[in-house]
Amino acid sequence: MLPENNSRAPVTERIATWSLRHRALTLVGWVALVLIALAAGTLLDGESRRSTDPGESGRAQTALNAQNTFDPLRENVLVEAKNPGSPPFAADEQVRRATEDLVTTLTRSGAVAEVRSPLATEGADRVSGDGRSGLVGFSIAGGERDIRSNFETAAARVEEVSARHPSVRLGLSGDLSLSSVVDKGIRQDVQRSEFLSLPLTLVILLIVFGALVAASVPLLLAGTSVAATFGFLSVVDDLTPINSATTVITLLIGMAVGVDYSLFFLRRQREERSRGHSVDDAIRVSARTSGHVVVVSGVTVVLCVSGLAITGLDNFTGLAISTAFVVGLAVLGAVTVLPALLSLLGDKVDRGRIPWLGKRRTAAENSRFWSATARVVTRRPALWGGLATALLILLTLPALGMRLQDPTPAESLPRSLATIDAAVRTQEAFPGVVYPATVVLTAKGGGPVDSPALRSAIADLDRRIGETGGALNKPLAVANVDEAVVLRVPLSGAGRDAEADAALAKLRTELLPATVGEVTDVEYAVSGRTANARDFADRVIERMPLVFGFVLLAAFVLLLLAFRSVAVSLVSIALNLLSIGAAYGVLTWIFQDGHFASLLGFTPYGGVVGWLPMFMFVLLLGLSMDYHIFILSRIRERRADGAVAAIIRGTGTSAGVVSSAAVIMVGVFSVFITLSAIEYKMMGVGMAVAVLIDATLVRGVLLPAFLALLGERLWQPGRKSLAPARVPELSSPNA
């Protein structure tokens, strides 16, 4: 048997040994931790902190938040004939009657204010340029507590009017209607991801292990890690914004890494059991080897993802915190709870065998395919390494034309949703009305900003907008919000494209300085969907070199500490960069260029989400290290066999574990593709492709090729490493 008391044993082995001796305490402690997290999330859940936009948008938001009242939420109803051959708006009696009915019904509802009609004396700006459509605008009445109920009342009245005029199309879109459909889509995506990820992961684990109990262990550990994370995040949310998108990402990342870490440990324990070790001895060996890999991998992921905080964007900071929580808990569970649970189960872990799958052996046996591949590659490493590198570079080429552009809600969500369809039609008929720029005017020294001079400057701004030739559009909406004045200026373009950015720049740098900027003691700041996206992208681009530099340095240092080899560290990072670049290229080719749009269920809008490349870089560099550290550790264990033999044997014996882990991770990330928002689809495709490339082409061809080229220079002799020592192969438990 292996000695239990070894003060020089790796920390992971000592922790596992303690867990084996105190199984009940370990398991009860884990359950208590999860329950405490859930209870804290319920009992200490206060008011969630709102995120603050960067740059000028953030200043506008802060100025509005400082007011005692709020900017009224505005909605628009597009009124047009359903029959394309109908007369123009002004001459179509049915459309005019529907408009009058709508204005009267909304006014009498008591739920709205400031109803603006295209039939009014000053309503010429509310008739579309082609004369086919009219736009009825209104604000939601009431205080903050009444907003939701008044909006629902107004929406119901619009539906009633629409039912009374079947030949006329009424499309409601605006501030609250669009945010509501986005929020609903996110909630449905969360439910869909939960519904799909758990069964999908269980099916893959059943195929891997062939037994229900063995398959349930990783799922149980990952599920409790995610549950505890959500509990803690409910408390953290009071200090740092944690948005709904972060919840979806945390769930799927937690499931992916939690199952992977458990899989690494379980497969090594099965391997040691097949060599004749007792249950507890096999667990200790697994803790020394795979447990070490899990800890190094987890630390790498956490450090890499923490680079997102360098951006100074609170949503990214919240994502970094949530990822650190779920990965940290998954690592903690893998090195403490998993050993105790496996020791408690013993051979019962193989119960619940599945017909046709139950005979599968789960030991990490040598893979004939990957061993043969590694043997071929190591014979001519320069040739095969060069071909694989050329292929990845070829896949990367489309990324050279990547355009970073966030989608509007109408571009993100399917047009089958009534609100999205209405927003698209309204944007086409009245460019900029759906996604206007919001200009916040305040007094420099505080106090009311409204004055005759300011009103004259606003009138001058309105006149200049009409002279821009369509770069900025009317109607210009003006509202007093406590001591501030808020303007809404429609911008040309689709909301977040180059044309909208140009219009925003003209407003910020030309029109506003020449008008309201000339009024003494008046400050202004521009926000809105276009401005928010532009300022967010500018901050991301500004901080991207710092984030990339931090992540690369952190990964290099951790690999250097783990293997004490500069060559291993540089090769690992270079290979990961190749797989990430290829994923960027595939992402651009599919989503920006529009390939497989019907198959994946999206409509291309000519860009890639602005924050996604940096997010993918940070997360993938951390996650993909799992495979490299695991494989390199196996190769290092076989160093005595010779450089080439160690590469072939290490690649072959790690193939089963890495392939199973990659299938699980690809399966989990593929759940993103089934979600409604195009941002999630992009993330799912990008992450799944990167993991797939990393687990096959990089792991099976490039890594063996580069290691073979380095040969004995790969490891610096005589230097102590943090990597686990080679485990002796024992022919019997008492050997």
Side-chain angles (χ1 to χ4, degrees), residues 281-349:
D281 284 347
I283 291 172
R284 283 195 291 274
V285 173
S286 302
R288 183 191 316 162
T289 53
S290 294
H292 169 84
V293 172
V294 166
V295 171
V296 175
S297 299
V299 172
T300 304
V301 173
V302 171
L303 275 180
C304 288
V305 174
S306 65
L308 292 174
I310 297 176
T311 61
L313 299 168
D314 47 19
N315 283 331
F316 271 174
T317 301
L319 181 57
I321 292 173
S322 65
T323 304
F325 260 114
V326 77
V327 173
L329 287 171
V331 171
L332 178 64
V335 298
T336 58
V337 181
L338 191 57
L341 186 58
L342 292 178
S343 177
L344 180 65
L345 290 172
D347 291 331
K348 295 177 182 177
V349 75

Side-chain angles (χ1 to χ4, degrees), residues 96-142:
R96 292 178 65 86
R97 283 201 301 268
T99 303
E100 293 171 350
D101 187 6
L102 177 64
V103 171
T104 302
T105 302
L106 287 173
T107 304
R108 291 175 177 175
S109 69
V112 305
E114 302 177 10
V115 180
R116 297 169 292 278
S117 171
L119 300 178
T121 305
E122 299 178 353
D125 292 338
R126 295 192 166 275
V127 177
S128 62
D130 61 4
R132 314 294 305 181
S133 308
L135 191 68
V136 175
F138 60 90
S139 302
I140 307 298

Side-chain angles (χ1 to χ4, degrees), residues 228-298:
T229 298
F230 284 165
F232 287 129
L233 290 182
S234 295
V235 180
V236 175
D237 189 36
D238 300 341
L239 305 174
T240 300
I242 305 291
N243 60 25
S244 300
T246 298
T247 302
V248 178
I249 295 171
T250 301
L251 169 65
L252 297 183
I253 290 177
M255 293 303 301
V257 300
V259 170
D260 269 12
Y261 294 162
S262 300
L263 184 62
F264 288 166
F265 200 103
L266 271 165
R267 293 293 291 260
R268 186 57 184 251
Q269 190 251 0
R270 293 299 186 83
E271 180 182 357
E272 298 304 325
R273 284 286 286 145
S274 68
R275 291 176 176 175
H277 288 154
S278 67
V279 172
D280 285 1
D281 284 347
I283 291 172
R284 283 195 291 274
V285 173
S286 302
R288 183 191 316 162
T289 53
S290 294
H292 169 84
V293 172
V294 166
V295 171
V296 175
S297 299

Side-chain angles (χ1 to χ4, degrees), residues 180-535:
S180 296
V181 76
V182 170
D183 291 343
K184 182 179 179 181
I186 291 175
R187 288 195 301 269
Q188 291 175 342
D189 283 342
V190 171
Q191 294 172 355
R192 189 180 296 115
S193 62
E194 292 173 345
F195 177 77
L196 293 176
S197 61
L198 295 177
L200 178 63
T201 305
L202 180 59
V203 169
I204 297 173
L205 287 171
L206 285 173
I207 296 173
V208 171
F209 288 105
L212 184 59
V213 174
S216 300
V217 169
L219 201 60
L220 177 64
L221 192 62
T224 52
S225 298
V226 171
T229 298
F230 284 165
F232 287 129
L233 290 182
S234 295
V235 180
V236 175
D237 189 36
D238 300 341
L239 305 174
T240 300
I242 305 291
N243 60 25
S244 300
T246 298
T247 302
V248 178
I249 295 171
T250 301
L251 169 65
L252 297 183
I253 290 177
M255 293 303 301
V257 300
V259 170
D260 269 12
Y261 294 162
S262 300
L263 184 62
F264 288 166
F265 200 103
L266 271 165
R267 293 293 291 260
R268 186 57 184 251
Q269 190 251 0
R270 293 299 186 83
E271 180 182 357
E272 298 304 325
R273 284 286 286 145
S274 68
R275 291 176 176 175
H277 288 154
S278 67
V279 172
D280 285 1
D281 284 347
I283 291 172
R284 283 195 291 274
V285 173
S286 302
R288 183 191 316 162
T289 53
S290 294
H292 169 84
V293 172
V294 166
V295 171
V296 175
S297 299
V299 172
T300 304
V301 173
V302 171
L303 275 180
C304 288
V305 174
S306 65
L308 292 174
I310 297 176
T311 61
L313 299 168
D314 47 19
N315 283 331
F316 271 174
T317 301
L319 181 57
I321 292 173
S322 65
T323 304
F325 260 114
V326 77
V327 173
L329 287 171
V331 171
L332 178 64
V335 298
T336 58
V337 181
L338 191 57
L341 186 58
L342 292 178
S343 177
L344 180 65
L345 290 172
D347 291 331
K348 295 177 182 177
V349 75
D350 287 326
R351 288 189 174 180
R353 291 187 179 276
I354 308 300
W356 300 291
L357 297 177
K359 294 182 179 181
R360 288 177 56 87
R361 292 300 302 164
T362 54
E365 298 173 352
N366 192 57
S367 168
R368 294 181 181 180
F369 174 79
W370 288 113
S371 294
T373 302
R375 190 174 294 109
V376 171
V377 169
T378 52
R379 286 173 184 168
R380 304 186 68 180
L383 172 64
W384 292 106
L387 289 175
T389 301
L391 176 58
L392 291 180
I393 292 175
L394 182 64
L395 291 175
T396 304
L397 290 180
L400 299 178
M402 180 186 291
R403 293 188 295 274
L404 299 182
Q405 177 183 324
D406 287 353
T408 63
E411 293 167 334
S412 173
L413 297 174
R415 193 166 175 176
S416 57
L417 299 172
T419 302
I420 298 301
D421 181 68
V424 172
R425 293 178 182 276
T426 302
Q427 183 71 10
E428 291 172 351
F430 299 90
V433 167
V434 179
Y435 313 112
T438 302
V439 184
V440 181
L441 308 172
T442 55
K444 291 182 179 179
V449 71
D450 195 8
S451 67
L454 181 61
R455 288 193 290 271
S456 176
I458 293 173
D460 186 23
L461 174 65
D462 189 37
R463 179 184 60 80
R464 291 172 183 250
I465 288 174
E467 297 173 352
T468 59
L472 292 94
N473 302 294
K474 295 185 178 184
L476 172 67
V478 183
N480 289 312
V481 181
D482 195 19
E483 295 182 334
V485 171
V486 178
L487 313 178
R488 294 206 179 195
V489 184
L491 305 175
S492 62
R496 293 182 182 174
D497 56 0
E499 186 178 354
D501 281 345
L504 173 68
K506 186 175 186 66
L507 177 65
R508 280 177 164 177
T509 61
E510 297 180 23
L511 298 186
L512 289 175
T515 54
V516 298
E518 293 293 327
V519 182
T520 306
D521 295 330
V522 170
E523 293 181 323
Y524 63 86
V526 182
S527 65
R529 292 186 184 272
T530 304
N532 294 348
R534 180 70 268 154
D535 294 341

